[in-house]
Amino acid sequence: MRLIKLAKVMDNTGLSRSTIYKYMSDGSFPKPVSLGVRNVAWVESEVEDWILEKVRERDEESQAAF
């Protein structure tokens, strides 16, 4: 298991900091793990799973259109 910092999450997802935190607040993005005062990181596999889910949603939508 690997933890990644916000910059890597942003790079992997293409999302901005504010969008990541907005998605977290509405429950649609993985929550970070606290590493101490003002220090958090995300579980890399959870972020990867979130990305894969977005790809699945895209594929399902494109198949539904046909």
Side-chain angles (χ1 to χ4, degrees), residues 9-30:
V9 174
M10 292 168 54
D11 185 54
N12 288 357
T13 63
L15 299 174
S16 69
R17 172 191 304 258
S18 60
T19 300
I20 290 168
Y21 278 95
K22 179 174 108 11
Y23 287 172
M24 282 178 10
S25 71
D26 70 18
S28 64
F29 195 80

Side-chain angles (χ1 to χ4, degrees), residues 1-65:
M1 185 178 307
R2 184 173 159 195
L3 296 175
I4 57 175
K5 302 295 279 182
L6 180 60
K8 181 75 171 161
V9 174
M10 292 168 54
D11 185 54
N12 288 357
T13 63
L15 299 174
S16 69
R17 172 191 304 258
S18 60
T19 300
I20 290 168
Y21 278 95
K22 179 174 108 11
Y23 287 172
M24 282 178 10
S25 71
D26 70 18
S28 64
F29 195 80
K31 301 268 189 217
V33 174
S34 177
L35 302 177
V37 179
R38 298 178 54 89
N39 191 6
V40 298
W42 283 256
V43 177
E44 185 175 42
S45 62
E46 292 178 358
V47 174
E48 289 171 350
D49 289 346
W50 182 87
I51 294 168
L52 289 171
E53 180 59 29
K54 292 298 177 189
V55 172
R56 275 188 227 107
E57 289 173 6
R58 176 206 60 195
D59 292 348
E60 289 172 1
E61 290 173 3
S62 66
Q63 287 188 0

